[in-house]
Amino acid sequence: MTNWSDIDINAKCWIKEAAQIIKNSFSQTLDIQTKSNRNDLVTEIDKKIEQFFIGKIRRNYPGHKIIGEEGFGDSLETTAGIIWIIDPIDGTMNFVHMQRNFAISIGIYENGVGMIGLIYDVVRDELYHAIKDNGVYMNNLPLNRLEEVKLSESIIGMNASWVTENKRIDPAILAPLVKNVRGTRSYGCAALEFAYVAAGRLDAYISLRLSPWDFAAGKILIEELGGVVTDLRGKPLNLLEQCSIFIAKPGLHHEILHNYLHKGDW
Ligand code: IPD
Ligand code: CA
Ligand code: CA
Ligand code: CA
């Protein structure tokens, strides 16, 4: 029998330790490199934190598998077994430029089912935390289940570039949505945007492309609170692949999917 409470206690403890390593780096000069393009940043701290978690997991849970953004984990073809999906720093650009608005994100799955989700806003000291069927907490305060909201009174997290010319979606699809909601916000940290939907600070979040480490923890939080997590076509997410993301409160998800995202050929 898997002792989930033991895993949960260890994961939270390691997250706080990792956060201290990140905060200590604020006074150092970072080694900043680029990955797929000149704006896709990575630092030695991203790599160090991923290796820190992997070392702890391998020592304590040698049978568990790991997927990490910086590539120090396993390369997996199935979701069988227990898998830790880790983004050591989600929002690296914010980390480098602002020293805030980034998070550590860890989702732990068993045979594809989300069991523990942890998102830690290091600088604000806000830990969003879910264990399957036990609710979602922010710093140990329970978060409310997600309720229906009118589109005209909703705030949606999304990146402004999706309503300019881009290669993924016709701007004419998202522009009417942007016009009809109360407001849009863009935080540059997918995990925090999931956490903000969970906490009721946002009502929905849209991204045209995320990787499993960006959404693994957030998906567990949102689903535990009765929110809906799909891609932009309303399909379920694949834990091993990149995909578009559309999360929202119940009701609002259906309305946006059918009245906006399903319109047009894209
Ligand atoms: C990025 C952030 C950002 C999202 C990007 C991600 P990273 O993660 O979550 O908000 O728009 O798609 O790649 O690279 O900073 O961990
Ligand atoms: Ca990255
Ligand atoms: Ca990320
Ligand atoms: Ca990252």
Side-chain angles (χ1 to χ4, degrees):
M1 259 305 262
T2 306
N3 185 342
W4 290 105
S5 140
D6 176 79
I7 294 174
D8 181 57
I9 291 167
N10 277 331
K12 281 200 279 197
C13 174
W14 299 338
I15 280 182
K16 294 290 172 93
E17 254 186 84
Q20 198 52 55
I21 299 173
I22 296 175
K23 283 190 274 190
N24 292 346
S25 78
F26 286 167
S27 56
Q28 298 161 20
T29 306
L30 293 171
D31 171 15
I32 304 164
Q33 292 170 358
T34 57
K35 291 165 86 175
S36 59
N37 63 63
R38 59 183 288 275
N39 299 322
D40 183 5
L41 311 179
V42 66
T43 72
E44 81 278 22
I45 307 298
D46 298 69
K47 296 175 193 167
K48 189 173 176 179
I49 297 299
E50 181 163 316
Q51 286 168 312
F52 166 84
F53 282 115
I54 291 179
K56 296 281 188 193
I57 298 161
R58 297 256 191 255
R59 265 195 301 284
N60 288 271
Y61 307 108
H64 294 188
K65 298 167 195 163
I66 304 164
I67 299 175
E69 176 178 10
E70 307 312 336
F72 299 105
D74 304 308
S75 160
L76 301 182
E77 274 169 17
T78 79
T79 55
I82 297 181
I83 307 178
W84 295 59
I85 306 181
I86 301 175
D87 196 336
I89 297 183
D90 184 44
T92 298
M93 195 189 289
N94 290 349
F95 167 62
V96 168
H97 285 255
M98 308 173 153
Q99 295 192 336
R100 71 202 70 216
N101 300 324
F102 62 88
I104 296 170
S105 175
I106 299 182
I108 311 175
Y109 286 74
E110 183 178 38
N111 299 324
V113 178
M115 300 303 293
I116 294 176
L118 292 152
I119 296 174
Y120 187 48
D121 180 335
V122 170
V123 172
R124 289 193 185 85
D125 186 26
E126 289 183 344
L127 179 66
Y128 301 86
H129 172 225
I131 304 189
K132 187 175 168 28
D133 300 330
N134 280 288
V136 182
Y137 296 80
M138 199 277 276
N139 288 348
N140 299 321
L141 296 171
L143 296 179
N144 293 328
R145 279 188 74 76
L146 300 179
E147 303 287 350
E148 303 212 351
V149 61
K150 285 189 194 152
L151 181 100
S152 58
E153 292 174 7
S154 63
I155 303 182
I156 300 198
M158 62 185 252
N159 188 322
S161 63
W162 306 128
V163 285
T164 65
E165 209 156 303
N166 70 82
K167 57 180 193 286
R168 295 192 194 281
I169 192 167
D170 180 351
I173 292 181
L174 291 178
L177 177 64
V178 170
K179 215 168 168 182
N180 292 343
V181 293
R182 177 166 277 168
T184 55
R185 297 289 182 270
S186 187
Y187 294 95
C189 173
L192 281 184
E193 297 181 88
F194 271 80
Y196 288 177
V197 174
R201 298 173 188 176
L202 290 174
D203 301 294
Y205 169 62
I206 288 174
S207 174
L208 272 284
R209 191 172 64 172
L210 289 183
S211 296
W213 40 83
D214 299 314
F215 64 74
K219 178 178 187 298
I220 299 172
L221 267 60
I222 299 299
E223 288 179 343
E224 181 68 19
L225 291 172
V228 187
V229 179
T230 66
D231 69 8
L232 259 73
R233 293 172 198 278
K235 304 243 165 58
L237 309 184
N238 181 333
L239 275 183
L240 302 176
E241 280 173 16
Q242 288 190 325
C243 56
S244 64
I245 293 281
F246 170 41
I247 64 169
K249 289 181 170 165
L252 184 63
H253 189 280
H254 183 270
E255 186 176 355
I256 294 176
L257 192 64
H258 291 276
N259 295 348
Y260 297 88
L261 302 178
H262 273 178
K263 299 255 159 101
D265 189 19
W266 63 281

